[in-house]
């Protein structure tokens, strides 16, 4: 089969690789009908995530048709149309039973390696480094889905791929980030980053009843998309984020702040960003936490800082004194997709939200390598790329 | 004017960091540099140029549109070449090193000029696309507001 494979920093290739096979009786093989490039794939592409190997199949947002099932899989049958969550979950361990699916205790095949880095292992993920199990990813014609009697979500034929594809990651990621904010009707929610996850954070916050949603970015297309979803926007190239937030909140600061940017903040003109770039170049810091610092500074005392953006290693100069003295609550983590997905599927079916609005480019899988660049550089108005094998 | 990231911006950023690095070397090790180029006695001048390089690098990294600051680098390159020219004199025992430095400055000047051209191309890009019709709410924004005030948190799977 053909798949997009990692061959080093900024080197993704459309390769021919062996077809996947059933390896465990609970497995299934899915023939991919649609997959997408995620912002966190760019962290791999840009070389910020450790544990990638030459030839790894990448991608963790995908859906398709079940073409083979293991003999112990009672949930799926050949022909089922499924969206596959990016987290691989067993459904039986203590964490899965609590709904903490992204920290499943059993699915990471390289648990020891992960525990050395993070203290404990987290769930296995598709196409996302050997620290999270080294599972083959979904930017491919076929994918082996482990524990396929737990994670995959059957979707009705009446909905298009474009409407349901993002149930596997970015829609529940934005939703979880907003739910973590415990939004009240009087809350102003500020979202840093108007990429696909930021767009879903903003729409989720609005649906969950925020009084006002504010989105911060510097890409005109993304800001216009955020405004379409009911948000006020701040272009950090054009105005001071701190001053504008102060104006919009009568000097009190937003009650809830969401970081939908993560480790590769691009606010290049701030002093702390230059500091981060210099430290990163000297390999003294892995992540660039400009957004975290800004959120801690502006968040209203007693507020909540929610972090769906991915961080991978160590950060520096975090104003923790401000965080402690302001009594901020931090909520974060990879998404517990299966905790939210049934509810979100219902909302899509009822027409409350149509996630396809975020797709700006749909191209054949073989064009994937060039679209990594286009997506990363935000060329051609690119917000979200869907690939068709 | 909306400034868009591209090759010119990336090149400008690289030049900004290069400027800061070179400026730091001129500021912190003027004696070694002067000795290497056969320009003893002009250490203070090298340090002044170091300040210029660091300032220009920081301005490139901090500016929304770095073009004027990259042009200031081109002017700086010309000044550097004028300063190095006397060191090419046959009486200078280090003239070979000075010739290498002249070659390097000329090469960097070409990169600076290339960068100004790329930045100018970036500014000529088409206007940004308008996504103001992409609300994602089939029933409208007002209907969506607060529609999920009581989120369902039951586990699926």
């Amino acid at each position: 089969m053909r798949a997009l494979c990692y061959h080093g920093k900024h080197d993704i290739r459309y390769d021919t690789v062996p077809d996947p096979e059933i390896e465990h009786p609970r497995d299934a093989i899915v023939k991919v009908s649609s997959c997408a490039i995620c912002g966190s794939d760019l962290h791999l592409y840009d070389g910020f995530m450790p544990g990638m190997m030459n030839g790894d199949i990448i991608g963790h947002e995908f859906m398709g048709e079940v073409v083979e099932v293991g003999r112990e899989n009672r949930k799926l049958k050949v022909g089922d149309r499924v969206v596959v969550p990016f987290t691989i979950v067993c459904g039986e361990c203590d964490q899965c039973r609590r709904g903490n699916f992204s920290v499943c205790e059993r699915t990471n095949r390289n648990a020891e390696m992960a525990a050395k880095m993070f203290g404990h292992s987290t769930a296995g993920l598709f196409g996302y480094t050997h620290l999270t199990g080294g599972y083959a990813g979904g930017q491919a014609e076929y994918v082996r889905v482990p524990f396929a009697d737990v994670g995959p979500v059957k979707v009705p034929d009446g909905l298009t791929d474009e409407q349901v594809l993002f149930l596997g990651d970015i829609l529940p990621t934005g939703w979880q980030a907003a739910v973590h904010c415990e939004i009240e009707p009087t809350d102003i929610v500020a979202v840093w980053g108007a990429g696909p996850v930021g767009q879903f954070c903003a729409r989720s916050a609005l649906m969950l009843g925020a009084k006002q949603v504010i989105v911060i970015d510097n890409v005109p297309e993304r800001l216009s998309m955020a405004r379409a979803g009911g948000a006020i926007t701040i272009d950090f190239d054009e105005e001071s984020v701190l001053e504008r937030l102060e104006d919009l909140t009568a000097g009190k600061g937003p009650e809830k702040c969401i970081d939908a940017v993560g480790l590769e903040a691009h606010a290049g003109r701030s002093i702390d960003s230059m500091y981060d770039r210099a430290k990163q170049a000297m390999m003294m810091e892995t992540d660039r936490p400009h957004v975290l610092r800004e959120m801690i500074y502006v968040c209203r005392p007693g507020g909540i800082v929610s972090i769906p953006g991915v961080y991978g290693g160590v950060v520096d100069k975090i104003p923790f004194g401000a965080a402690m003295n302001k009594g901020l609550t931090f909520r974060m983590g990879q998404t517990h997709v299966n905790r939210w997905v049934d509810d979100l599927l219902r909302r899509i079916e009822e027409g409350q939200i149509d996630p396809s609005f975020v797709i700006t480019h749909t191209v054949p899988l073989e064009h994937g390598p060039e679209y990594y660049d286009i997506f990363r550089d935000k060329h051609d108005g690119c917000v979200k790329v869907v690939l068709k094998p | 004017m909306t400034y868009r990231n591209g090759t010119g911006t990336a090149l400008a950023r690289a030049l900004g960091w290069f400027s800061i690095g070179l400026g730091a070397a001129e500021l912190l090790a003027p004696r070694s540099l002067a000795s290497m180029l056969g320009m003893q006695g002009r250490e203070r001048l090298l340090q002044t140029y170091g300040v210029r390089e660091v300032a220009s690098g920081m301005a490139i990294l901090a500016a929304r549109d770095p073009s004027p600051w990259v042009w200031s680098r081109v002017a700086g390159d010309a000044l550097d070449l004028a300063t190095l020219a006397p060191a090419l004199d046959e009486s200078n025992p280090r003239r070979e090193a000075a010739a290498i430095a002249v070659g390097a400055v000329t090469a960097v000047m070409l990169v600076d000029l290339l960068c100004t051209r790329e930045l100018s191309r970036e500014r000529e890009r088409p206007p940004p696309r308008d996504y103001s019709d992409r609300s994602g709410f089939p029933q409208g924004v007002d209907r969506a507001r607060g529609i999920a005030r009581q989120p369902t948190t039951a586990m699926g799977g």
Side-chain angles (χ1 to χ4, degrees):
Chain A
M1 69 165 185
R2 306 302 295 272
L4 297 188
C5 296
Y6 175 89
H7 288 278
K9 187 178 174 182
H10 300 158
D11 187 0
I12 303 287
R13 299 179 202 167
Y14 183 58
D15 286 346
T16 299
V17 297
D19 287 352
E21 293 176 352
I22 297 283
E23 295 176 19
H24 186 277
R26 294 172 70 178
D27 288 355
I29 304 294
V30 170
K31 181 183 182 189
V32 177
S33 56
S34 297
C35 53
I37 305 176
C38 181
S40 47
D41 290 328
L42 295 181
H43 302 323
L44 309 177
Y45 187 62
D46 289 337
F48 286 107
M49 301 299 278
M52 290 298 289
M53 290 186 188
N54 194 36
D56 283 347
I57 300 174
I58 55 175
H60 55 269
E61 293 182 19
F62 63 99
M63 63 175 294
E65 181 188 339
V66 175
V67 292
E68 194 177 349
V69 290
R71 65 179 184 281
E72 288 179 18
N73 191 319
R74 308 271 178 263
K75 177 178 175 177
L76 300 179
K77 62 179 189 303
V78 170
D80 281 345
R81 185 168 172 245
V82 292
V83 172
V84 182
F86 75 101
T87 45
I88 302 169
V89 300
C90 76
E92 296 154 353
C93 70
D94 186 47
Q95 294 287 13
C96 281
R97 284 201 304 271
R98 292 165 187 263
N100 297 329
F101 295 104
S102 76
V103 286
C104 172
E105 294 168 331
R106 293 176 57 199
T107 54
N108 188 343
R109 297 185 295 196
N110 298 322
E112 267 184 40
M113 195 195 297
K116 272 186 188 148
M117 183 142 178
F118 296 136
H120 297 85
S121 172
T122 54
L125 306 179
F126 288 100
Y128 211 75
T129 92
H130 289 260
L131 277 174
T132 54
Y135 291 98
Q139 287 166 10
E141 290 179 319
Y142 295 90
V143 185
R144 172 192 161 235
V145 179
F147 297 92
D149 53 349
V150 183
V153 182
K154 292 184 200 175
V155 287
D157 288 335
L159 298 172
T160 63
D161 276 18
E162 287 69 21
Q163 285 176 292
V164 294
L165 172 61
F166 304 132
L167 281 168
D169 182 353
I170 56 174
L171 175 57
T173 295
W175 184 260
Q176 176 174 293
V179 170
H180 276 170
C181 286
E182 298 172 13
I183 292 169
E184 294 174 29
T186 52
D187 282 348
I188 294 178
V189 180
V191 180
W192 275 255
V197 167
Q199 299 289 343
F200 285 126
C201 288
R203 279 155 184 80
S204 300
L206 185 129
M207 290 171 72
L208 287 162
K211 178 179 147 194
Q212 183 61 60
V213 179
I214 301 166
V215 174
I216 301 150
D217 204 300
N218 70 336
V219 180
E221 291 91 344
R222 295 175 178 216
L223 292 171
S224 81
M225 191 181 273
R227 282 192 294 275
I232 291 175
T233 57
I234 300 177
D235 182 340
F236 66 75
D237 272 352
E238 303 287 342
E239 53 196 333
S240 158
V241 174
L242 303 187
E243 286 174 14
R244 187 80 198 289
L245 282 177
E246 194 161 302
D247 287 347
L248 290 167
T249 61
K252 293 181 173 179
E255 285 87 353
K256 311 291 160 65
C257 297
I258 299 178
D259 174 0
V261 174
L263 65 90
E264 287 188 73
H266 291 289
R269 281 179 287 287
S270 64
I271 297 292
D272 68 313
S273 290
M274 289 187 201
Y275 169 83
D276 287 333
R277 291 259 184 194
K279 281 202 81 169
Q280 209 174 40
M282 290 185 284
M283 301 182 80
M284 293 167 70
E285 185 179 34
T286 58
D287 304 1
R288 303 197 297 263
H290 167 77
V291 169
L292 271 182
R293 296 188 191 108
E294 198 160 75
M295 288 200 308
I296 290 170
Y297 189 75
V298 302
C299 190
R300 187 174 185 177
I304 294 177
V305 170
S306 172
I307 309 169
V310 171
Y311 287 85
V314 293
V315 294
D316 190 12
K317 301 287 181 289
I318 295 298
F320 215 73
M324 188 274 167
N325 285 287
K326 288 166 77 172
L328 303 182
T329 299
F330 286 78
R331 306 288 300 276
M332 63 192 87
Q334 296 281 5
T335 310
H336 308 304
V337 176
N338 287 92
R339 192 192 291 185
W340 315 110
V341 74
D342 291 347
D343 180 45
L344 290 170
L345 177 58
R346 175 182 65 79
R347 293 183 190 281
I348 293 170
E349 285 184 291
E350 290 176 1
Q352 292 183 18
I353 185 166
D354 178 358
S356 65
F357 77 90
V358 82
I359 301 168
T360 52
H361 294 71
T362 302
V363 295
L365 180 63
E366 64 191 274
H367 291 174
E370 69 184 279
Y371 273 82
Y372 264 82
D373 277 337
I374 289 170
F375 178 44
R376 182 196 57 182
D377 297 335
K378 306 171 184 73
H379 284 169
D380 196 31
C382 186
V383 178
K384 187 71 179 177
V385 181
V386 169
L387 305 167
K388 297 283 187 178
Chain B
M1 178 177 54
T2 299
Y3 196 77
R4 314 300 307 280
N5 289 342
T7 312
T9 307
L11 196 52
R13 291 194 65 80
L15 285 170
W17 285 112
F18 171 75
S19 234
I20 290 172
L22 179 62
E26 288 173 326
L27 266 172
L28 301 173
R31 198 167 296 169
S32 309
L33 268 177
S35 160
M36 194 170 74
L37 298 170
M39 294 173 66
Q40 289 89 343
R42 307 191 77 180
E43 288 83 357
R44 188 56 61 86
L45 182 67
L46 284 176
Q47 283 186 311
T48 309
Y49 284 5
V51 172
R52 185 199 77 209
E53 288 282 0
V54 169
S56 146
M58 290 185 73
I60 287 172
L61 293 175
R64 192 165 73 84
D65 178 1
S67 297
W69 300 104
V70 177
W71 275 113
S72 84
R73 274 192 49 81
V74 175
D77 294 334
L79 194 62
D80 288 346
L81 287 175
T83 308
L84 282 165
L88 296 173
D89 191 272
E90 284 190 0
S91 61
N92 180 6
R94 306 287 302 167
R95 66 179 175 279
E96 278 184 18
I100 291 170
V102 166
V105 172
T106 307
V108 169
M109 192 178 196
L110 289 174
V111 176
D112 287 336
L113 286 166
L114 177 71
C115 182
T116 59
R117 194 186 69 177
E118 288 299 315
L119 287 170
S120 159
R121 280 185 183 169
E122 278 178 26
R123 283 201 300 275
E124 288 162 8
R125 278 192 190 162
R129 293 189 184 189
D130 178 16
Y131 292 144
S132 59
D133 58 344
R134 291 172 174 251
S135 78
F137 296 128
Q139 299 162 15
V141 174
D142 289 339
R143 187 85 189 277
R145 206 178 286 278
I147 201 168
R149 199 158 274 154
Q150 299 290 327
T152 304
T153 54
M155 294 173 206

